[in-house]
């Protein structure tokens, strides 16, 4: 065994001793929030997707690392939850389910994966596929992570295309009766696994057969079947058009025999819609946020939790569309404080679409399923992990914070006499955004002032807090530029210093021209976020 592996496993032992292994019992909903049944406090899902639905029908990555090591890694990174996918046929086809993992690899000619699996997980490789899935669920639970079981497809394989036969009720591989049977079986099998807190009934409904009437009929039947088999789990319903559209719920609501267990999910990627690379980014962001709110976001106002069960980007950082989309998405996700699940955990698949050892560029971990692909991305998504609002946070702590999606940091300060900086959001300055559009530090008479172009923003007090350069407003189509006016009546926007990204300055507002398709406004994108979470700098 290498010194690196020994050190890693010893370090893992220390983590295990320090970890508080408190089992999650059951979650419910309270209006738009997911809450802990016992205390009634909000529990925000910050999940990562772990695929187990492809042709091998085993959780990916077990040829790269020991199962328990992967689970510990997920927790140590900062996720609190795993969305674990499963194919319907694994739980409804006895012949498939009884294959061993080794046999499944052999049938697909994946000999190299067998060797890696044998080395890292010898106790699993000769289990049946269904028992290997149970072993993965058990390990995730034992590592104090919440679990959402997601029926991703019927026939094992990569998802998704419009005409793949897996898309909608009545398709070649999507028999509604068999689906209900599978949901019931999975809910029953994992009924006593405490950390299984939710079941996502079906991933990305789509295809030529999709229609609202059948959606209501079968999704309601599926929800009732799951709840009857396991009344403790959250029941998570996806929409139409690859899980982008639930707008039909604006005129007709889901009718179920149970309450306080229903959650809706949505997927949002750069490729979902939007011409991020060919149009003005402010315009595209504003349009896509409006579309998302119209199609699914309105459910928050109806009193339902919204779970973004898939979002993600190319971790290499070279995809312009992804980079622009991500800044917009993070601003929206922070503003509405939604639950989420990143796609995807690992940087490789046993086999995907006929390619053995497929390199997953969206993988949070590298090809070997250990090193983080992008530390800056980690900082950015973990910034939206804490709950900003919801039951359990006292109203006496109500304030606003100023979030910068490009860095995953919030406006902070070194001292009242020094310039404003960006820092950890857990230490963010608490602001009060007044009806006069002044940003005041809560509990003080200090306000935010714009100075000269390229100079640090500063604090003012007294009469200066009534001047034009103390008024701030979200402008542009994206509503992500925070703008003020200097004494010479020139408009400026909050920005970060190009020589020191932690220093907050004011600059000319950029990328406002809708005809400008190449400008990237990311450094000037900020969100004023409502929060009732205590613990920020007073």
């Amino acid at each position: 065994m290498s010194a690196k592996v020994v050190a890693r496993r010893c370090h893992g032992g220390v983590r295990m001793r320090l970890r508080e292994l408190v089992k999650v019992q059951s979650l419910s909903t309270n209006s738009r929030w997911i809450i802990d049944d016992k205390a009634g406090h909000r529990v925000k899902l910050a999940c990562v997707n772990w695929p187990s639905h492809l042709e091998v029908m085993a959780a990916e990555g077990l040829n790269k690392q020991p199962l328990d090591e992967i689970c510990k890694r997920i927790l140590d990174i900062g996720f609190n939850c795993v969305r674990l996918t499963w194919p319907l046929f694994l739980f409804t086809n006895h012949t498939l389910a009884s294959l061993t993992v080794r046999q499944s690899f052999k049938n697909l000619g994946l000999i190299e994966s067998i060797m890696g699996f044998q080395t890292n997980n010898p106790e699993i490789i000769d289990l049946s596929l269904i028992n290997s899935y149970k072993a993965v669920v058990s390990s995730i639970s034992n590592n104090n992570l919440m679990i959402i079981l997601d029926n991703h497809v019927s026939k094992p394989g990569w998802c998704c295309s419009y005409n793949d036969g897996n898309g909608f009720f009545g398709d070649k591989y999507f028999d509604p009766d068999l689906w209900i049977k599978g949901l019931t079986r999975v809910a029953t099998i994992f009924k006593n696994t405490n950390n299984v807190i939710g079941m996502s009934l079906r991933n990305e409904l789509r295809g030529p057969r999709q229609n609202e009437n059948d959606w209501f009929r079968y999704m309601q039947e599926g929800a009732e079947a799951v709840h009857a088999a396991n009344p403790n789990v959250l029941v998570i319903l996806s929409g139409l058009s690859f899980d982008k559209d639930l707008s039909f719920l604006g005129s007709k609501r889901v009718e179920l025999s149970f309450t306080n267990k229903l959650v809706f999910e949505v997927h949002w990627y750069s490729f979902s819609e939007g011409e991020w690379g060919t149009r003005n980014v402010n315009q595209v962001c504003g349009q896509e946020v409006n579309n998302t709110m119209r199609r699914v976001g309105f459910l928050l106002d109806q009193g339902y939790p919204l779970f973004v069960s898939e979002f993600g980007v190319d971790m290499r950082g070279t995809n312009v569309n992804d980079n622009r989309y991500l800044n917009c998405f993070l601003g929206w996700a922070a503003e509405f404080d939604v639950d989420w699940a990143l796609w995807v955990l690992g940087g490789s698949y046993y086999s995907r679409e006929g390619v053995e050892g497929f390199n997953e560029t969206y993988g949070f971990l590298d090809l070997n399923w250990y090193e983080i692909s992008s530390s800056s991305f980690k900082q950015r998504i973990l910034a939206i992990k804490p709950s900003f609002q919801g039951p359990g946070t006292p109203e006496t702590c109500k304030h606003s914070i100023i979030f910068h999606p490009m860095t995953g940091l919030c406006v902070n300060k070194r001292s009242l006499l020094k310039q404003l900086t960006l820092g950890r959001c857990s230490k963010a300055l608490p602001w009060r955004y007044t009806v006069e559009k002044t940003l005041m530090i809560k509990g003080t008479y200090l306000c935010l002032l714009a100075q000269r172009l390229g100079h640090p923003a500063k604090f003012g007090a007294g009469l200066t807090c009534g001047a034009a350069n103390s008024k701030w407003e979200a402008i542009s189509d994206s509503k992500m530029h925070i703008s003020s006016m200097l004494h010479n009546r020139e408009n400026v926007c909050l920005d970060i210093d190009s020589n020191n990204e932690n220093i907050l300055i004011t600059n000319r507002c950029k990328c406002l021209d809708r005809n400008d398709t190449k400008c990237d406004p990311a450094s000037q994108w900020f969100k004023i976020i409502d929060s009732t979470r205590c613990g920020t700098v007073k």
Side-chain angles (χ1 to χ4, degrees), residues 484-513:
S484 186
M485 182 182 292
L486 299 180
H487 293 301
N488 63 3
R489 303 192 66 79
E490 183 174 10
N491 286 320
V492 293
C493 285
L494 288 182
D495 203 344
I496 54 176
D497 192 330
S498 59
N499 297 316
N500 185 344
E501 288 190 352
N502 285 339
I503 302 298
L504 196 70
I505 64 174
T506 52
N507 259 333
R508 287 189 177 92
C509 303
K510 58 186 179 182
C511 312
L512 300 186
D513 182 355

Side-chain angles (χ1 to χ4, degrees), residues 122-341:
E123 70 283 0
I124 298 176
I125 194 166
D126 290 311
L127 292 179
S128 67
L129 288 171
I130 196 166
N131 283 334
S132 74
Y133 190 89
K134 292 177 183 177
V136 172
V137 172
S138 178
S139 183
I140 297 171
S141 179
N142 289 340
N143 279 281
N144 201 29
L145 289 157
M146 295 178 284
I147 307 162
I148 293 170
L149 303 176
D150 164 59
N151 175 221
H152 214 70
V153 290
S154 296
K155 181 184 178 184
W158 180 248
C159 179
C160 303
S161 68
Y162 192 73
N163 291 299
D164 60 8
N166 273 296
F168 199 71
F169 307 107
D171 280 359
K172 182 177 181 180
Y173 304 115
F174 199 170
D175 178 346
D177 293 333
L178 189 66
W179 175 69
I180 296 289
K181 179 181 177 182
L183 289 176
T184 301
R185 187 169 187 213
V186 171
T188 302
I189 287 173
F190 297 105
K191 182 177 181 178
N192 295 318
T193 305
N194 290 330
N195 281 32
V196 173
I197 55 91
M199 284 186 60
S200 179
L201 301 197
R202 187 71 176 198
N203 179 71
E204 295 196 357
L205 294 166
R206 61 198 180 277
R209 291 180 179 269
Q210 63 181 330
N211 66 87
E212 296 170 15
N213 289 337
D214 283 344
W215 187 95
F216 276 104
R217 175 185 174 183
Y218 293 118
M219 291 301 265
Q220 289 175 168
E221 284 185 20
E224 294 288 3
V226 167
H227 185 75
N230 183 355
N232 291 320
V233 294
L234 298 172
V235 176
I236 305 171
L237 305 187
S238 61
L240 301 175
S241 300
F242 295 85
D243 203 6
K244 294 184 298 184
D245 188 9
L246 285 160
S247 59
F248 50 89
L249 293 176
S251 56
K252 180 181 178 181
R253 296 201 179 194
V254 172
E255 296 182 0
L256 299 172
S257 64
F258 58 92
T259 58
N260 302 328
K261 290 289 185 181
L262 183 59
V263 175
F264 291 99
E265 63 179 305
V266 62
H267 293 178
W268 188 3
Y269 293 98
S270 69
F271 53 78
S272 298
E273 280 184 354
E275 302 167 81
W276 296 96
T278 58
R279 291 175 55 206
N280 178 269
V281 184
N282 281 307
Q283 189 177 13
V284 177
C285 178
Q287 178 178 298
E288 291 309 301
V289 166
N290 289 339
N291 286 341
T292 298
M293 295 307 294
R294 176 175 55 83
R295 292 169 179 165
V296 295
F298 70 92
L299 291 166
L300 297 171
D301 292 330
Q302 284 192 2
Y304 296 106
L306 185 60
F307 176 41
V308 185
S309 56
E310 286 187 27
F311 77 97
V313 295
D314 187 330
M315 293 291 174
R316 296 171 296 182
T318 56
N319 187 310
V320 174
N321 288 354
D322 278 0
N323 295 342
R324 292 178 169 185
Y325 141 84
L326 182 61
N327 293 316
C328 180
F329 170 81
L330 290 175
W332 173 83
E335 179 182 10
F336 289 96
D337 204 6
V338 293
D339 302 89
W340 52 265

Side-chain angles (χ1 to χ4, degrees), residues 349-398:
Y349 298 95
Y350 305 125
S351 176
R352 174 178 149 182
E353 298 171 292
V355 178
E356 184 173 0
F358 189 98
N359 180 8
E360 174 56 90
T361 59
Y362 277 45
F364 188 81
L365 300 177
D366 64 4
L367 281 167
N368 292 316
W369 282 65
Y370 188 76
E371 298 295 340
I372 294 171
S373 299
S374 171
S375 58
S376 61
F377 180 83
K378 173 188 173 183
Q379 175 174 285
R380 295 168 74 186
I381 63 161
L382 291 186
I384 62 170
K385 174 188 175 182
S387 54
F388 298 112
Q389 302 180 66
T393 55
E395 285 299 312
T396 54
C397 292
K398 190 173 182 180

